[in-house]
Amino acid sequence: MADNRIARGIVLVPCLLLGGAFLATAAWGQGAAAENRTLAITIGAGLLLAGWLSQISSGDDKPDTTTPDKADRTP
């Protein structure tokens, strides 16, 4: 399957934004938010990890060689 850089970016950006928001809530949370600090850290770290994992290449970066080039065809 072809590696789609746009799809990886679409996954990365929301994961980073939401993960950062949850970690910020854990760091600066007061009142009721302070009670859920562990949950916010867990969700934030999980989202950042998911964004990072989406950027790992599948190792399928080789060019597609199933279709021959025009130069390889004999008339």
Side-chain angles (χ1 to χ4, degrees):
M1 184 171 209
D3 188 20
N4 193 342
R5 298 173 91 186
I6 295 173
R8 290 190 313 178
I10 290 172
V11 171
L12 176 68
V13 171
C15 283
L16 290 180
L17 291 174
L18 287 172
F22 275 103
L23 290 177
T25 300
W28 290 296
Q30 298 174 355
E35 298 172 5
N36 296 324
R37 182 167 287 164
T38 305
L39 179 63
I41 291 172
T42 304
I43 293 172
L47 284 167
L48 291 177
L49 181 65
W52 178 74
L53 287 175
S54 73
Q55 297 304 302
I56 294 178
S57 179
S58 63
D60 205 16
D61 294 335
K62 299 174 187 169
D64 186 20
T65 58
T66 57
T67 57
D69 293 335
K70 289 182 180 180
D72 294 339
R73 295 181 189 164
T74 55

